[in-house]
Amino acid sequence: MKSVISELSVLVTDDSLTQRQYAKALCQELGVQSLFDAANGVDALDVLGANSVDVVLIDLEMPIMDGVELIRSIAQKKLNSSVIILSAKDPILIASVGTMAEADGLHVLGTFQKPLLPDALECSLLRFIQDTKVAAEPKKSPDTEVTALELSQALANNELTLAFQPKLTVHGLLLRGVEALARWRHPTKGMISPVVFIELAERHGMIDALTHFLLEEAFKYKRTWQQYGLRFHLAFNLSPLSLADSDMVDWLCKMAEKYGIAPAEITFEVTENALLGELASAIRTLARLRLKGFHIAIDDYGTGFANAQQLSRVPATELKIDRSLVHRAAARPQQRTILASTIDLAKNLNLTTVAEGVETAEDFKILHDLGVDLVQGYYFSKPLFADDLLNWVKNDLSQLRRQQEQK
Ligand code: C2E
Ligand code: CA
Ligand code: CA
């Protein structure tokens, strides 16, 4: 594993000789020893085919094959996954190419307007080192093959469970609540991600059964925590399909009563995209939930296409800003601008703002400076099983606060 910048190999792609030399000189100053260069996309693909390259710097405007085409080819040929995107063009264009590259599966270390500054380059290369370490940790694979039959057996066999991820106040790092996240402990395939099985359940008419099971589990945990005197909020994800179910609200109220839970301590999270389909029936369900005292969060905000007007029509109490807007905003000025205006919009609509996917101290600092209310992410804690959550509250949380005070 590469642990220092000097061990990285970098390819600089730019049609201007001066710019290539400049970028290579910056890399050399940072200690990079293995350096390649190419004057256009075609040459860059040749270099990538023949050498092992960690990071590719890509200028967008080049003759023969431009940067956008090069990014596409790199992704298609799975040649290399870490890129830094540069251009003299306007920041919006550069940022949107960055988004495109990520959608193609590339690892975007930074998107910058030229000239490339030494600090920006250093941060991006360090990020490569940091991220390849994180990626080496065992991960749940989203491509795990599972069938609808296995899922229905899993429900019957109690293989589904919940993990909980803390939501903390930016000021003082107080535990405001936890988000319940579904997990499937498969007897032979290991831990399966909800990304795989929620969609499967939605496609095979099992989402109601799954939601019913998980919600009762979540309420049981909340009741236990209350018995220990812990009264933090519980957030629970609702499928867009549940919003179309007219019996859902009554059932949720009944469950809250059964487990002795105050609706004001429950937040239902619904994704921004759930609001794009059957808006009328979604709003009806959400309005009824609000009337009963539950809170509503718009989840994954920034990934879909809901506009400010649609947002203002939803009876929400909270806006969860997606990690794609949050993570690495420090390295992407355009992203930072969108983040700032999203936070302003939420405040104008009287919504509590929650930033998800906070992974680094840099991410946290920006969110703090921009006035976000709550934060959630690996920087504070990964999702934890219930026992570990209690230990985290007892031990790790106060340590986090002390660390923060020292900063
Ligand atoms: P989500 O609601 O956006 O949940 C946050 C996801 O981000 C979780 O993934 C969490 O583990 C992950 N995460 C948290 N902090 C970080 C971070 O700092 N960096 C990164 N890279 N990721 C972070 P998970 O648990 O795999 O859940 C994926 C999605 O599955 C959820 O996204 C949610 O949409 C859905 N889901 C999970 N549980 C349920 C459920 O009970 N019902 C329904 N309908 N959907 C669920
Ligand atoms: Ca969520
Ligand atoms: Ca989310």
Side-chain angles (χ1 to χ4, degrees):
M1 175 160 327
K2 310 218 164 149
S3 57
V4 287
I5 289 182
S6 61
E7 291 172 22
L8 298 181
S9 66
V10 176
L11 165 63
V12 176
T13 315
D14 200 309
D15 59 322
S16 144
L17 177 64
T18 326
Q19 296 279 343
R20 282 205 303 280
Q21 284 172 336
Y22 169 72
K24 281 168 71 183
L26 285 186
C27 289
Q28 274 161 342
E29 274 167 35
L30 292 171
V32 177
Q33 284 163 13
S34 171
L35 267 172
F36 302 93
D37 66 327
N40 60 60
V42 175
D43 290 353
L45 289 176
D46 286 345
V47 174
L48 290 172
N51 301 280
S52 135
V53 174
D54 297 309
V55 177
V56 191
L57 267 71
I58 301 178
D59 173 36
L60 290 184
E61 300 102 301
M62 291 184 294
I64 309 181
M65 179 191 268
D66 65 34
V68 176
E69 292 170 287
L70 174 60
I71 287 168
R72 196 74 222 225
S73 301
I74 291 178
Q76 277 168 349
K77 299 190 162 98
K78 299 197 179 350
L79 282 173
N80 165 290
S81 53
S82 297
V83 295
I84 297 172
I85 300 169
L86 297 165
S87 170
K89 286 268 169 1
D90 78 295
I92 298 182
L93 172 66
I94 310 172
S96 66
V97 175
T99 309
M100 177 207 81
E102 274 178 344
D104 278 346
L106 295 193
H107 180 198
V108 180
L109 298 171
T111 56
F112 304 104
Q113 198 173 19
K114 283 182 176 176
L116 176 62
L117 301 174
D119 282 356
L121 179 64
E122 186 175 12
C123 279
S124 300
L125 296 180
L126 287 172
R127 200 164 290 132
F128 173 86
I129 292 165
Q130 190 187 357
D131 289 358
T132 29
K133 274 190 193 149
V134 173
E137 282 176 18
K139 258 205 305 214
K140 6 170 203 145
S141 155
D143 338 302
T144 316
E145 290 274 340
V146 277
T147 64
L149 179 65
E150 280 180 287
L151 181 59
S152 64
Q153 286 163 346
L155 260 172
N157 296 342
N158 257 325
E159 286 166 24
L160 294 183
T161 182
L162 290 167
F164 299 93
Q165 191 177 33
K167 288 165 92 170
L168 303 168
T169 59
V170 166
H171 291 283
L173 295 184
L174 305 174
L175 180 65
R176 176 60 63 83
V178 294
E179 175 178 2
L181 293 159
R183 295 290 180 263
W184 175 358
R185 291 184 209 252
H186 193 285
T188 54
K189 294 176 184 165
M191 197 70 74
I192 300 179
S193 160
V195 176
V196 176
F197 64 83
I198 297 289
E199 209 229 353
L200 188 71
E202 287 173 344
R203 274 189 285 124
H204 291 88
M206 284 189 271
I207 191 68
D208 281 349
L210 197 113
T211 305
H212 285 183
F213 175 81
L214 292 173
L215 183 107
E216 287 209 48
E217 284 296 293
F219 278 12
K220 281 180 204 162
Y221 279 117
K222 173 124 175 63
R223 181 177 61 186
T224 310
W225 295 326
Q226 286 178 184
Q227 286 162 352
Y228 293 143
L230 294 166
R231 290 213 76 112
F232 44 79
H233 285 235
L234 173 78
F236 187 86
N237 293 284
L238 280 183
S239 158
L241 298 180
S242 302
L243 297 185
D245 174 358
S246 55
D247 299 331
M248 192 67 172
V249 178
D250 292 335
W251 184 78
L252 291 170
C253 292
K254 213 168 81 195
M255 288 302 121
E257 215 175 293
K258 175 174 169 189
Y259 291 99
I261 282 161
E265 291 180 10
I266 302 295
T267 302
F268 290 112
E269 299 194 357
V270 292
T271 59
E272 180 190 7
N273 283 333
L275 308 171
L276 295 178
E278 277 284 312
L279 189 63
S281 72
I283 291 185
R284 193 173 313 120
T285 304
L286 296 178
R288 288 193 60 215
L289 286 171
R290 274 301 291 139
L291 287 171
K292 304 286 183 193
F294 294 104
H295 290 259
I296 307 292
I298 311 282
D299 205 355
D300 299 350
Y301 188 77
T303 56
F305 296 94
N307 59 34
Q309 195 184 22
Q310 279 162 321
L311 194 62
S312 69
R313 290 194 189 128
V314 178
T317 48
E318 184 176 303
L319 190 73
K320 292 194 84 175
I321 307 169
D322 191 67
R323 68 169 169 271
S324 58
L325 279 187
V326 169
H327 186 41
R328 291 187 191 151
R332 301 170 181 183
Q334 185 62 26
Q335 189 180 321
R336 192 194 157 110
T337 309
I338 300 172
L339 186 60
S341 68
T342 304
I343 294 163
D344 276 351
L345 171 68
K347 287 199 189 297
N348 290 334
L349 294 172
N350 254 328
L351 301 173
T352 302
T353 45
V354 186
E356 354 180 69
V358 184
E359 290 189 359
T360 61
E362 275 174 316
D363 293 345
F364 182 44
K365 177 160 191 322
I366 284 207
L367 297 163
H368 175 276
D369 294 350
L370 294 176
V372 161
D373 300 310
L374 304 176
V375 280
Q376 183 179 348
Y378 294 169
Y379 183 57
F380 309 101
S381 171
K382 293 207 163 174
L384 301 167
F385 289 119
D387 288 348
D388 296 332
L389 176 72
L390 293 184
N391 284 327
W392 181 89
V393 173
K394 240 184 352 201
N395 306 319
D396 303 32
L397 183 57
S398 42
Q399 200 184 330
L400 262 173
R401 286 185 193 135
R402 274 198 302 277
Q403 269 173 13
Q404 213 49 48
E405 277 162 14
Q406 284 160 9
K407 282 197 175 158

